[in-house]
Amino acid sequence: MSGCEARDAKKLVRSPSGLRMVPEHRSARSPFGLDEPPWVPDKECPRCMQCDTKFDFITRKHHCRRCGKCFCDKCCSKKVPLPRMCFVDPVRQCAECALISQKETEFYDKQLKVLMNGATFFVTLGTSDKSELMVCRLSNNQRYLVLDGDSHYEIEIIQISTVQILTEGFTPGGGNTRAIGMILQYKVPGSDELTQMKFTAGEDFSCNKKLSASWLAAMHKVSK
């Protein structure tokens, strides 16, 4: 096992909320992850925190795995995937949290996969007038933006301060636009100054502009 594989190794753990597949090393955790919330103690919730139904031997209490609050079965019946907490199976969530988790599913099922597959761009560093053709992708542990060409860069996602997507095709009448590039600002470890990178989709067919546009759209989702 290589050093990188060892860093990204995962283990199966059981919590009161369910089974989770988590990184063995906390330093390898995804920046998109969430910690499990503390559960509201049973003694502090005699009634459902949504509909105010009183709990008894028939009306049981359930905790939402995302917010930790206490609900009756009617108000906390949905079992929804929660990849941000690394749950193996869908888990019980209240209606409000289930809606949030369902919206995040598209991000995990689509955008993250697009980013990890990568795309090709001309990359310009800082104020340089020279650009380099590079393959850009999100690392397997989702912690780094990796750029490979003649040069090699690894930018930690949490160090990125701004993401500006460059588009073309806008018309005053509200015509369609498409992403053609991106300006990224980030901090280099050990420095408080911002470094800038400009990404531009290639004009030639081999660079697959449609793939680059999809990658940029996914990057825009990440920045939000």
Side-chain angles (χ1 to χ4, degrees):
M1 182 182 289
S2 69
C4 183
E5 289 174 329
R7 255 194 334 268
D8 293 343
K10 296 185 177 182
K11 61 182 178 180
L12 191 65
V13 298
R14 181 181 293 278
S15 74
S17 297
L19 284 173
R20 301 168 65 219
M21 185 65 76
V22 302
E24 285 192 356
H25 303 283
R26 191 172 180 84
S27 61
R29 290 184 56 186
S30 166
F32 309 116
L34 290 175
D35 290 325
E36 283 189 80
W39 283 10
V40 174
D42 287 352
K43 62 182 180 181
E44 294 181 13
C45 53
R47 295 177 178 273
C48 173
M49 300 178 78
Q50 178 64 42
C51 70
D52 206 38
T53 296
K54 186 177 181 179
F55 295 122
D56 53 31
F57 288 110
I58 297 176
T59 306
R60 297 178 57 199
K61 60 187 65 175
H62 301 278
H63 287 85
C64 171
R65 272 49 174 173
R66 186 177 181 115
C67 69
K69 294 179 180 178
C70 201
F71 302 92
C72 67
D73 183 69
K74 182 179 178 182
C75 294
C76 194
S77 61
K78 292 186 177 181
K79 289 191 174 182
V80 179
L82 186 46
R84 291 188 71 184
M85 290 185 192
C86 303
F87 284 110
V88 174
D89 300 308
V91 291
R92 189 184 292 268
Q93 298 177 58
C94 66
E96 184 177 349
C97 287
L99 186 60
I100 295 172
S101 295
Q102 286 169 342
K103 289 181 178 179
E104 291 174 348
T105 298
E106 181 185 358
F107 172 72
Y108 271 83
D109 286 350
K110 295 181 181 179
Q111 276 84 19
L112 272 185
K113 289 181 180 179
V114 168
L115 290 174
M116 292 169 74
N117 285 337
T120 304
F121 298 93
F122 287 104
V123 179
T124 307
L125 182 63
T127 58
S128 174
D129 58 357
K130 295 182 179 180
S131 61
E132 181 180 339
L133 190 62
M134 307 189 83
V135 175
C136 309
R137 63 178 179 83
L138 188 67
S139 64
N140 291 336
N141 61 15
Q142 304 163 9
R143 292 182 60 86
Y144 296 91
L145 191 60
V146 181
L147 289 76
D148 278 309
D150 290 336
S151 305
H152 176 81
Y153 298 97
E154 293 187 7
I155 303 171
E156 195 168 8
I157 295 296
I158 61 173
Q159 297 295 338
I160 296 175
S161 58
T162 59
V163 175
Q164 178 187 353
I165 302 299
L166 307 175
T167 60
E168 69 174 10
F170 176 77
T171 64
N176 292 330
T177 63
R178 65 187 182 92
I180 59 170
M182 171 179 71
I183 294 177
L184 198 73
Q185 289 186 321
Y186 64 96
K187 285 185 178 180
V188 176
S191 173
D192 291 330
E193 294 185 5
L194 290 176
T195 298
Q196 179 172 296
M197 271 188 177
K198 182 178 181 181
F199 297 67
T200 307
E203 292 298 324
D204 62 304
F205 179 77
S206 64
C207 284
N208 196 335
K209 296 178 76 171
K210 185 177 180 180
L211 177 62
S212 297
S214 297
W215 194 92
L216 290 168
M219 193 66 190
H220 184 54
K221 289 274 189 181
V222 167
S223 67
K224 291 184 175 182

